[in-house]
Amino acid sequence: PAGKVSFKLPADFSLNGIDSSDDDKIVSYAWSIEARPVASSENFVKLIGENTDTLHVRVSQGEGEFRFKLEVKDKEGLTGSASKSVQILAEDDFPPSAKVSSALVLTLPENSAVLYGNESKDDHGITKWEWQKSSDSPKTGDMTGTTTSNLTLANL
């Protein structure tokens, strides 16, 4: 393996050493991580097939440069090695999209309503809700559930 490639988190890729050669026959393959980003923990990197010609790698966290080493051995015990650098890039993080249920029309004597924000979306999930009255809203009425996906309005 030669050169450098890049993947975005979470990364799932394979490195192939099938083109490794010997004058007779390669009898073993041994893949290892030669270098990794400081912030990368072993818990976030999974290697599958370390003793085969193809290494499958899963990186769930830890952006930066990884260097993988392949060592091959022939039947006489002679070895050769090559390294492959892989750049792991931060995953995309797009801003959330807020969506509130359709406009409400209240007919007296109704004086309460529920606004649904549960169709709002985010690529990493919504972790916080915060409903607020706009500055041009009437000051009357009570709001409950201001930190949930559904807002209840009463005493309108």
Side-chain angles (χ1 to χ4, degrees):
K4 187 176 185 179
V5 295
S6 62
F7 299 95
K8 283 190 178 181
L9 281 171
D12 193 346
F13 59 92
S14 294
L15 299 174
N16 191 316
I18 194 78
D19 291 332
S20 300
S21 62
D22 182 60
D23 59 347
D24 188 12
K25 180 181 176 184
I26 294 176
V27 296
S28 71
Y29 296 84
W31 291 92
S32 61
I33 298 177
E34 209 172 28
R36 69 171 68 225
V38 175
S40 172
S41 162
E42 287 184 22
N43 298 332
F44 303 128
V45 181
K46 182 172 176 91
L47 303 180
I48 302 164
E50 294 104 321
N51 297 313
T52 67
D53 61 12
T54 302
L55 177 69
H56 190 74
V57 182
R58 291 187 183 131
V59 181
S60 59
Q61 292 182 20
E63 62 188 80
E65 186 172 324
F66 287 78
R67 193 169 56 249
F68 297 91
K69 179 180 178 182
L70 171 61
E71 185 172 278
V72 295
K73 187 184 291 186
D74 67 12
K75 64 182 180 181
E76 286 84 30
L78 299 173
T79 62
S81 65
S83 295
K84 178 77 166 185
S85 291
V86 176
Q87 185 72 30
I88 303 298
L89 306 171
E91 63 185 315
D92 292 330
D93 189 10
F94 299 102
S97 170
K99 184 175 180 183
V100 180
S101 57
S102 302
L104 295 173
V105 176
L106 296 177
T107 305
L108 293 174
E110 286 289 323
N111 70 349
S112 64
V114 177
L115 298 177
Y116 298 95
N118 55 349
E119 289 187 31
S120 299
K121 303 211 180 314
D122 184 63
D123 57 332
H124 295 286
I126 296 174
T127 59
K128 182 180 177 184
W129 300 90
E130 184 177 350
W131 293 87
Q132 298 175 352
K133 288 183 184 179
S134 66
S135 59
D136 60 346
S137 293
K139 300 296 181 205
T140 60
D142 300 320
M143 296 183 353
T144 56
T146 58
T147 58
T148 67
S149 63
N150 300 332
L151 176 69
T152 301
L153 302 171
N155 302 318
L156 299 173

